[in-house]
Amino acid sequence: MTFLDVLYFIIPSAIFYAAPLILVAIGGVFSEKSGVVNIGLEGLMVMGAFVGILFNLLFADTFGAATPWISLIAAMVAALLLSLLHAVASISFRADQVVSGVAINLLAVALSLYLVKRIFDKGQTDFITERFARYDVPFLSDIPFIGPLFFTSVYNTSFFAIAVAFIAWFVIYKTPFGLRLRAVGEHPMAADTMGVNVARMRYVAVMISGALAGIGGAIYAQTITNDFGHATINGQGFMALAAMIFGKWHPLGAMGAALFFGFAQSLSIVGSSIPYIQEIPNVFLLILPYVLTIFALAGFIGRANAPLANGKPYIKGQR
Amino acid sequence: MSNRVTNILVPLISVILGLFVGAVIMLVSGYNPLEGYAALWNGIFGDLYTIGETIRQITPYLLAGLAVAFAFRSGLFNIGVEGQLIVGWFAAAYVGVAVELPKIIHLPLAIITAAVAGALWGFVPGLLKAKFRVHEVIVTIMMNYIALHVTNALIRTVSEGGDRTENIFASASLRSEFLQNLTEFSRLHYGIILALVAVGVMWFILEKTTLGFELKAVGFNQNASQYAGMNVNKNIILAMVISGAFAGLAGAMEALGTFEYVSSKGGFTGIGFDGIAVALLGMNTPLGVIFGATLFGSLKYGALNMPNAAGIPIEIVEIVIAVIIFFVASGYIIRLLLLRASAKKKEAK
């Protein structure tokens, strides 16, 4: 296997694994920029994956090839509703945001598995028949080197995820909404004084995170596992959280980190058939994203500053 | 209403709300909640065997709850109990398999190794928090995954490619014929005594030692503690190390008592995460942890009876637990409502 062959093998698979991570990590960026820690990303992803698969199975006959895309919308709505629970607890009820996030994670797994058993009478769903199609982008895939790397047998969902990252960057850094979002996360009292409704901004931000995490979960389930069971989403949400931190709470940074984690993930899966890499024990590749995140947090890879008010409920009139 | 009463009422109301939500979900999905909860009850207290198994299930929850509660009291949130438990489980099983020694040496050695492994796993986030002000929540989550993958790899190495180790030597086992005979041959083991001793140890550290006083002070207010001349960084590390040791012991319960081996895992055990619920429900006090662990251990074990006896998926209990955590976390709103209710009563008088 030549070096180029290895690249052609690994890069597309890295992007493929990264797409859901990108979306979920961007969701995390929105929530945390507004000052609400969202450990519940994992649970929101689970909900998205479950509803995505369920919808796909139920409506594959009705919508045909469009089913996976419509499933994304269903997953988005379901995860958004679940994220409202986190919003109510952590914004209105002043709950500890980490604890509430843990509750969301437990609830999502339990609820979706409960429903799977109720509906399918077994531990996991059937396999979906309508999947996202891989295709070669016309003309672009003919470009030497770049074509096979980025435009051959790709999923549209990957382009979608990358587009969302750029849109998120624009929204957060170039629009009045983004300015208010960041203000609420850095100094909620100042934002309140300037007439920004802190609670409403935070609700919106958490709902965006829920929506994106739901889509991410549904993409993961419909491209990688094709069914739903207890191990479908196994730490993906936490890896997205890691990508968000590694990307320093910046949408494009989070995308870059997610791409890198996707790379690590694909290496741990396809690495056994690649020279040199197959010599490395698999466990090192598996723990790489987590170890790197710890290094990033400790400041060994440049200082990352979380939004100042992250994790603190805003109580009006309290200094 | 006094503070003490609300402190007890908040968890109590949360539990009732959790069970109520569970009943509603069963009702909506076409099950009979009464049948469901009856099956749960029988699964917990049905006969001597189930009672023995219930107590066995409570044992690791006690220690996991202590681990979370201990860190909480020092102002730290240890989500890493799960990972610390996993490395403790592996360490104890490894010592149990690798050497054969007289029981009086072997068993303590295995238990201590588990505690040390958990403590090491807690030391990393503690050190990073103390030295670099890195938030322990994220580090401990990452450490959970590292623990999962590393122990899986180690198990493969130890078992030469298999996915579980041999059974441990009897000299390292916590199993007890006496307790088994008492409970119609359940897997109840001596670990429960160790866990209760650990409850006492935590109470003693927190209430009777200078270290405990400092840890609590750091938990209340780091700046004030620093000003009072306490070494805040040292206390943060110590709190995480002790918390990790409790979690490691929880792993030893599984390795030396319940299973007597360790197998590679596709996902987390969940005991560490439920430890968060146990600690929260117990208001982070040693005595409260006993109640929390008893409740969650019973729910978890009793739930196993629900599919057979009532045809209801066991996940319903997981839902109930999640809802309970949710309401305990949202204690503010329950306190507020209680305050309003008691204010109204006064007006009426």
Side-chain angles (χ1 to χ4, degrees):
Chain A
M1 211 185 243
T2 66
F3 180 67
L4 213 58
D5 285 335
V6 172
L7 273 190
Y8 290 160
F9 192 32
I10 282 186
I11 300 290
S13 123
I15 296 172
F16 164 65
Y17 276 100
L21 287 182
I22 294 174
L23 287 164
V24 184
I26 302 285
V29 169
F30 271 99
S31 173
E32 302 224 344
K33 278 281 178 198
S34 82
V36 181
V37 170
N38 201 341
I39 302 269
L41 287 176
E42 171 91 2
L44 297 169
M45 239 185 128
V46 169
M47 193 42 79
F50 166 63
V51 173
I53 292 289
L54 185 69
F55 188 91
N56 190 315
L57 285 170
L58 291 179
F59 292 100
D61 295 336
T62 321
F63 297 115
T67 317
W69 290 99
I70 302 171
S71 304
L72 290 191
I73 297 171
M76 180 184 84
V77 172
L80 190 148
L81 289 176
L82 184 64
S83 75
L84 267 179
L85 220 55
H86 182 54
V88 171
S90 54
I91 302 165
S92 302
F93 292 177
R94 300 179 195 174
D96 184 313
Q97 297 170 4
V98 176
V99 178
S100 159
V102 170
I104 295 286
N105 288 338
L106 295 177
L107 185 64
V109 176
L111 195 62
S112 54
L113 280 182
Y114 176 82
L115 290 173
V116 164
K117 284 188 179 164
R118 180 82 190 97
I119 298 168
F120 297 89
D121 220 14
K122 56 181 178 177
Q124 74 251 23
T125 67
D126 302 325
F127 281 98
I128 55 171
T129 47
E130 287 296 339
R131 302 186 193 148
F132 286 110
R134 281 171 185 262
Y135 71 108
D136 295 348
V137 182
F139 306 116
L140 291 177
S141 59
D142 297 332
I143 305 171
F145 189 60
I146 294 177
L149 269 192
F150 300 115
F151 299 111
T152 305
S153 91
V154 284
Y155 286 104
N156 264 331
T157 47
S158 305
F159 294 122
F160 172 70
I162 291 166
V164 166
F166 281 97
I167 294 169
W169 167 77
F170 183 81
V171 168
I172 292 175
Y173 289 99
K174 301 290 167 191
T175 64
F177 170 82
L179 183 65
R180 290 193 196 110
L181 182 83
R182 284 178 289 140
V184 161
E186 290 292 339
H187 202 311
M189 197 168 61
D192 194 7
T193 318
M194 298 303 289
V196 179
N197 186 332
V198 176
R200 195 203 294 160
M201 279 309 289
R202 287 187 168 177
Y203 264 93
V204 171
V206 172
M207 281 154 67
I208 293 175
S209 83
L212 288 176
I215 298 175
I219 289 180
Y220 187 87
Q222 290 184 95
T223 54
I224 296 172
T225 58
N226 293 318
D227 73 341
F228 181 84
H230 74 280
T232 300
I233 305 292
N234 192 359
Q236 297 299 315
F238 289 116
M239 206 179 273
L241 194 74
M244 176 197 76
I245 295 162
F246 201 60
K248 300 178 183 174
W249 286 269
H250 189 289
L252 298 182
M255 178 182 75
L259 281 168
F260 180 76
F261 289 174
F263 179 70
Q265 248 184 315
S266 71
L267 270 190
S268 67
I269 290 157
V270 302
S272 55
S273 49
I274 297 169
Y276 299 113
I277 292 166
Q278 63 196 11
E279 319 265 313
I280 307 170
N282 198 256
V283 59
F284 289 108
L285 297 168
L286 284 172
I287 64 173
L288 186 65
Y290 308 113
V291 174
L292 279 177
T293 303
I294 293 176
F295 279 134
L297 275 168
F300 299 138
I301 313 175
R303 200 96 200 102
N305 285 321
L308 255 179
N310 215 4
K312 298 185 193 94
Y314 174 63
I315 301 162
K316 244 183 177 11
Q318 194 186 58
R319 293 168 65 87
Chain B
M1 208 177 300
S2 76
N3 215 0
R4 209 189 167 88
V5 177
T6 39
N7 271 350
I8 296 169
L9 271 180
V10 169
L12 211 63
I13 292 173
S14 302
V15 171
I16 294 168
L17 284 172
L19 289 171
F20 176 73
V21 171
V24 170
I25 291 176
M26 281 191 261
L27 208 59
V28 170
S29 47
Y31 297 117
N32 182 349
L34 289 178
E35 240 175 74
Y37 282 136
L40 182 66
W41 181 265
N42 285 333
I44 302 169
F45 301 109
D47 50 33
L48 278 173
Y49 173 83
T50 49
I51 292 175
E53 282 287 308
T54 302
I55 299 174
R56 176 194 60 75
Q57 188 69 62
I58 291 169
T59 312
Y61 282 100
L62 270 172
L63 288 157
L66 287 182
V68 179
F70 194 86
F72 257 133
R73 289 298 280 274
S74 321
L76 298 162
F77 193 0
N78 184 4
I79 301 200
V81 171
E82 183 70 37
Q84 293 145 15
L85 183 150
I86 291 175
V87 294
W89 186 337
F90 173 79
Y94 180 75
V95 171
V97 172
V99 288
E100 196 175 9
L101 296 164
K103 185 144 196 163
I104 194 139
I105 305 172
H106 201 181
L107 182 57
L109 184 70
I111 292 173
I112 291 168
T113 313
V116 170
L120 274 176
W121 225 252
F123 173 73
V124 175
L127 181 76
L128 291 173
K129 171 95 178 183
K131 290 273 177 228
F132 302 103
R133 298 284 125 198
V134 182
H135 206 295
E136 73 280 6
V137 164
I138 307 291
V139 179
T140 49
I141 290 177
M142 300 301 140
M143 294 290 287
N144 284 345
Y145 283 95
I146 297 173
L148 184 66
H149 293 305
V150 168
T151 51
N152 278 350
L154 288 174
I155 290 162
R156 261 193 301 281
T157 315
V158 171
S159 63
E160 281 154 14
D163 57 2
R164 57 161 281 189
T165 61
E166 305 273 302
N167 275 11
I168 57 169
F169 285 111
S171 55
S173 174
L174 277 168
R175 290 264 171 103
S176 133
E177 260 179 47
F178 169 67
L179 290 177
Q180 288 185 338
N181 286 336
L182 212 64
T183 55
E184 293 172 1
F185 301 99
S186 75
R187 285 176 293 170
L188 183 60
H189 54 81
Y190 283 132
I192 184 68
I193 297 168
L194 194 93
L196 289 173
V197 169
V199 172
V201 168
M202 170 165 162
W203 174 83
F204 185 80
I205 294 178
L206 281 180
E207 306 301 333
K208 297 287 162 196
T209 64
T210 331
L211 170 70
F213 179 78
E214 287 198 13
L215 289 176
K216 282 188 291 182
V218 170
F220 280 125
N221 190 331
Q222 289 197 359
N223 296 330
S225 314
Q226 185 94 48
Y227 186 69
M230 295 174 195
N231 186 340
V232 170
N233 285 344
K234 192 193 82 185
N235 280 312
I236 287 174
I237 297 176
L238 253 179
M240 284 304 285
V241 165
I242 296 174
S243 168
F246 279 129
L249 286 178
M253 296 301 109
E254 303 297 83
L256 309 175
T258 307
F259 294 98
E260 300 198 310
Y261 63 83
V262 58
S263 57
S264 65
K265 297 172 186 60
F268 291 122
T269 65
I271 299 171
F273 298 120
D274 292 331
I276 298 168
V278 170
L280 283 173
L281 206 68
M283 293 284 155
N284 301 321
T285 61
L287 202 65
V289 165
I290 295 184
F291 289 111
T294 306
L295 180 73
F296 286 119
S298 308
L299 284 178
K300 277 278 174 150
Y301 184 73
L304 299 177
N305 188 39
M306 293 178 79
N308 295 332
I312 300 173
I314 51 173
E315 278 77 16
I316 191 71
V317 161
E318 312 268 344
I319 297 176
V320 170
I321 290 179
V323 173
I324 294 175
I325 299 180
F326 186 79
F327 281 117
V328 176
S330 309
Y332 160 75
I333 199 76
I334 298 179
R335 276 166 210 277
L336 197 72
L337 293 176
L338 282 174
L339 213 66
R340 292 236 174 107
S342 66
K344 252 190 204 146
K345 228 183 246 167
K346 259 183 205 155
E347 266 173 38
K349 274 179 193 169

